[in-house]
Amino acid sequence: LNGGFATSRQIEDMLELPLLTLINAMEKEDQTVKGRTLEMPHYVAAMPLSRFSEAIRALRSGIKMTDVDNPPKVILVTSTMPGEGKTTVAMSLAVSASTAGLKVLMIDADLRHTSASRFFGLVKSPGLVDLLLGSVTMKDAIIYNEDAKLWVLPAGTKTRNPADLIGSDRMKSFMEASKESFDLVEIGRAHV
């Protein structure tokens, strides 16, 4: 009759996978710093010793430790349902990595609900779709965000075939080029 997990140990036992971190939900009043409510990715940079920031750092470290000799350079954050926090986690991981001195590219690959593009004010900017269609270059599509200290590739123009674009050879080539240019590539992707 239990509708969920009660402990981290229970999660690991049931799924037979390691639990990298637990991230607590935060109310808007918990995100207030010096009288100003911050969005979670900005909160990570403003409050590096907070419980939320520490959980994000633990997640980033756990991912890195999956292969100590060759840590992953590309991280995909996805979910099964909309509204589960994939964009918040992806952007928070990206900001955490950038504040640690890494050169980070945040890709909004959620081509239907462009939350990351909206967060960075880049909804109308050319982006991933335009890059994959060949109408812009990487240099024209990737934008440096001074506030977050990272590079952003917004979703770009709307498309009717997001799965075809994401699974294309151009996407594979772009990801290979991105791994050469950036220390970490963070991808926020639509629920699967």
Side-chain angles (χ1 to χ4, degrees), residues 146-168:
E146 187 65 44
D147 290 339
K149 306 285 187 247
L150 54 79
W151 283 262
V152 179
L153 176 61
T157 306
K158 294 286 183 189
T159 181
R160 292 183 184 178
N161 303 312
D164 293 339
L165 283 174
I166 297 295
S168 69

Side-chain angles (χ1 to χ4, degrees), residues 74 107 128 131-132 138 163-180 185 187:
V74 177
I107 301 174
L128 180 60
L131 180 68
L132 296 178
M138 280 178 65
D164 293 339
L165 283 174
I166 297 295
S168 69
D169 287 337
R170 283 188 180 182
M171 181 67 172
K172 291 173 189 160
S173 296
F174 167 66
M175 292 310 301
E176 287 303 316
S178 296
K179 289 193 297 189
E180 296 298 318
V185 180
I187 306 169

Side-chain angles (χ1 to χ4, degrees), residues 114-137:
T114 58
S115 302
S117 298
R118 194 170 33 260
F119 177 83
F120 290 109
L122 300 171
V123 172
K124 297 190 185 292
S125 298
L128 180 60
V129 170
D130 309 283
L131 180 68
L132 296 178
L133 291 174
S135 58
V136 298
T137 64

